[in-house]
Amino acid sequence: MKKNLQLVGTAVPRHDAWAKAKGEQLYSDDFTMPQMLYGKVLRSKYPAAILRGIDISKAKALPGVRAVLTAADVPKNEDITKFGQMRDVGGGFEGLYKVLANGKVRSKSEAIALVAADTEELAEYACTLIEVDYEVTEGVFDPRESIKEGAYVVSSEDKDNIVMRTKVEDGDINAAWALCDVVVEGDYFTTPHEHAYIETEGGMAWIDENEVVTLRVGTQVLEHYRTMAKILGLPHTKVRNMSVPMGGGFGGKEDMTVEMYLALLTLATRRPVKMVWSREESMDTHAKRHPEYLHYKTGATKDGKIMAQEVSIVMDSGSYTYLTPWVQMYSTQAAAGPYQIPNVRVQSVSAFTNNTFSSANRGFGGTQVNFAYERQIEELAAKLNMSPLELRRRNIVHNGDPLPTGFIPQGHIALEELLAKVDKELNRTPKPERLPDGRKVGRAIAIGHMVYGRLTFLHDSSRVSLRVELDGSVTLRAGVPDLGGGQASVLCQIIAEELGLKITDVHPYIMDTHLTPLCGTTTATRQLYMSGNATYKCVSIMKERVLEKASSILGYPPDMLELANRKVYLINNPLVNIPFETVIGHISNDGGELELIAQFNAPFTEVPDLADIKSRLNPDLTYTCHGVEVAVDEETGQFEMLRLIAACDAGKMINKNSCEGQIEGGAVYDALWATHEDLQWRNGITKANNFSTYLIPTSVDVPDVETIILESGGGLGPYGAKGVGEPSDNSIAPALVNAIRDAIGTGLNLNKMPVTAEKILAAVKGIDIEK
Amino acid sequence: MSMHPITLKVNGKPHTLLVKSNELLVNVLRDKLFLTGTKYGCGIAECGACTIMKDKRSIMSCLVPAVVADGWEITTSEGLSKGDKLSPVQEAFVDLAAIQCGFCTPGMVVTATALLHENPNPDEDFIRDYLRGNFCRCTGYVAMSKAVLAAAAKMKEEAQ
């Protein structure tokens, strides 16, 4: 590994920053083509119904309407959910995927029919002419009800609503309670969470001159082209996504969005088709973070050693499986938190309901349990009459400690340091009891652990290629979907660092399934780890080639040479050097290869026994700590966040700006999840389906995030980096609610989201709202 | 639907256009003038992705019928830079990494430009209050308010 890094770790602007600042970056909605049609989706009016018949004749007869399609028109309407994994897992892990509804409608806004027409208005009007004969059924909207025998069955394809059951167990939980002096127990509920990317889903599709169904759709998973090909009955080579950067993803663009609809409509009409969802359509239909009902029981000795924890989780999968089993494994594995607890039992079950389906959302099962275990720790500390900080210190995991699955993480665990730093910063001045305006002040800290990299039994891999041009500039080709985290730019930075170039010497060509090596998904906080390592491997081979050639020219051994400032030079005497492009010219003259591809594979494991998981599930984890100071108005229950400290061990920052941006943005992404971001689901209807009712943080709702970034070097990514994208949003929600608890002096009414002003006010008055 | 002729001056260029009564300014800019920097985000003037500048004030173009904009002079994000030369606000957004996915950026830089027209010496509270109508889901707003402060300082320096 290179010492004296020049570029890695600096705050160099990303390649795309200038175009974005000028408004010139093109997104999925910014393309048009001659003869383009507009596509619309007819969606179910009801959350639960049986489709008895669909009459499309009136819509089809409307002049200007070019296609009306239903499930019967889809070559293979039913498939299994795939998310770019290279390995078939099978079993209950990959559930049913349906393009258009048939049989039972499973949720409101499920897609029933597709229309393509000359104008958007016409397509929309044609949808109103489609007559759907619904037999409205009762439905079920709470997974605690839907798992019961005799419950309404959500699907027409299954006998019951269970998606998956799984368990992690360590030690002897039944015997452990006798060792505990103090036990706390609580029920927690976490609400569905909306990604609320500012760009709604959209894109366009056409058929090219080689009969390739071609898309321009921003997605976190380029590899969906394979599922599309299967559904259309085409070879994989005949579907292509020339993808574009996303205006935010956060997991919400991990499932397929408009891709299948566009492909079907363009094939039916032989014309380009565009489709863009309205904000309401987006919020009604795309996946949400899984709502979870959690029960925690935790016991400790009187000196604060946690001896036992028992957890049960019921997850709402909503209408389809999608990523539910994956998210469930994350929740189940992470449920006991970053604590060394000798006796643990975590049981979880996920089930269908007639709610909007649940799938990936930043944090991926980690956020829900993080809220519950950190609320639990706070109540345990109160009962032990011990500071929550001290209780955490006595129980956190350290290097070498196993997770309850038995797996010992290989990366560094920096919790001790993170806790100390956040505590010092949060309490740099003594906490006042009240502000001058009378509001009560509260402070709290919460910690979290979150994996980066995919489930190891998926056998994850990434490939990138690079080509050195004869003028010494470099083209990076990588199928890396960029959703705004700087996923592509960071790879350029690694190449420029290793070849001694400027970042502007490296040009990224990204996200085209026909022209870029597949990097795998921009999910699971995996791109820097996976594609960063693939890039490092690729550029290292090129670097070796350059050094060898320079060595033969300069007459010094390769290990005495280094690359910097577009030169190869002698380490102890930089006056002895040769320009980079001259060396490249020699390699080219001699027939050397200047175009390379390299693949990085994550650790591989076997599919675990779901009934009792006792193996490694992920490559490694990232650790976080959030500190919050709030002021609570005891007369209204309103609170204001005064300070927000976000700390994380990033292993190594590759791009300082991007790393800080993730940690700041991640903290704010979930800052108001627990309190304000409420979709108001009522019997399968999303009542808050736009930005005037669903309240995401604005610039006045959150304070400046104070970031503390550690660089332990103990990650599995390039230069010892860890992933930070998802970990950065995990422990903020419990930190906020625990700070409110600290202010009002009671944990009453604070365990179930949304933690509204009404609930806080009732808590202040000592009223248990559930009694 | 009846069509109406309107004239618009956008980024200094005059345009005469025929628009429908129900056509929105955001769509005219995007679909007829191909100024796709102005974004659709919510359609109800909540998120600010469609922000443009009229008479040095920022307004959201998604609720403005194009016929109402007849005779307007407006600036979009594309009109802030001069060729490759970024405006001080845009430059600060690049330098301080106030841009992640970039989808809110055009609206945000337009609002920030209007802010500095209104108040060339803003403090952070003023900035945060002014930007409250422009949603960003990526950054947490930290880098943005710093960028506006930096742009203010730069503009003052250039004016001297």
Side-chain angles (χ1 to χ4, degrees), chain A residues 167-171 309 329-346 373 395-413 415 448-452 455-456 612-623 722:
Chain A
K167 191 179 83 169
V168 170
E169 186 158 4
D170 190 22
Q309 188 167 64
M329 293 189 94
Y330 276 56
S331 271
T332 309
Q333 175 183 236
Y339 298 105
Q340 190 51 41
I341 308 174
N343 306 287
V344 172
R345 181 190 286 153
V346 185
Y373 65 69
N395 292 283
I396 48 176
V397 284
H398 294 90
N399 289 341
D401 287 339
L403 296 175
T405 52
F407 170 59
I408 299 171
Q410 292 156 359
H412 180 68
I413 300 172
L415 284 166
H449 63 168
M450 173 80 204
V451 296
Y452 61 93
L455 292 162
T456 40
D612 191 9
I613 301 172
K614 292 228 180 292
S615 59
R616 176 184 210 174
L617 292 179
N618 298 89
D620 189 30
L621 299 90
T622 298
Y623 301 84
K722 291 186 173 221

Side-chain angles (χ1 to χ4, degrees), chain A residues 41 55 68 72 79 84 121 149 157 160 183 198 212 214 233 262 303 375 455 469 553 558 592 631 633-634 724:
Chain A
V41 185
D55 183 355
V68 183
D79 193 33
E121 291 86 347
E149 214 169 304
E157 291 82 13
D160 60 38
V183 173
I198 312 301
V212 175
T214 310
L262 287 170
D303 55 355
R375 283 287 304 120
L455 292 162
E469 305 291 350
I553 299 165
D633 184 334
E634 291 170 298
V724 297

Side-chain angles (χ1 to χ4, degrees), chain A residues 292-304:
Chain A
E292 292 191 9
Y293 297 84
L294 311 105
H295 183 84
Y296 269 73
K297 183 179 174 188
T298 311
T301 61
K302 56 181 181 299
D303 55 355

